[in-house]
Amino acid sequence: MTIATAELLTVPEVMTRLKLGRSKVYDLIRSRRLVSIKIDGARRIPAVAVQDFVLGQIEAAA
């Protein structure tokens, strides 16, 4: 996947994928455990960042 084809997710979409609340998603972003970007005030999270976060959590639990 290239940067040009990277899927960008909204916070509600990430909430659904991770089955977490809005506050927790923003906490993960604030603590830099979940990578995000801002586009004119709109927060977007690359889908690959969500995958990396989940894989990191699985590795930490092992």
Side-chain angles (χ1 to χ4, degrees):
M1 178 183 317
T2 65
I3 292 174
T5 61
E7 180 184 12
L8 296 175
L9 305 171
T10 63
V11 170
E13 290 170 330
V14 174
M15 291 167 53
T16 300
R17 287 188 184 201
L18 296 178
K19 298 187 179 18
L20 294 173
R22 178 178 296 274
S23 297
K24 186 60 179 179
V25 172
Y26 277 110
D27 183 48
L28 292 171
I29 292 168
R30 214 175 358 266
S31 65
R32 297 181 186 227
R33 292 172 62 201
L34 184 62
V35 175
S36 72
I37 61 172
K38 230 175 173 184
I39 302 172
D40 292 334
R43 182 69 60 185
R44 295 294 180 260
I45 301 95
V48 69
V50 176
Q51 293 170 348
D52 290 345
F53 172 75
V54 171
L55 289 174
Q57 294 300 300
I58 291 169
E59 288 175 7

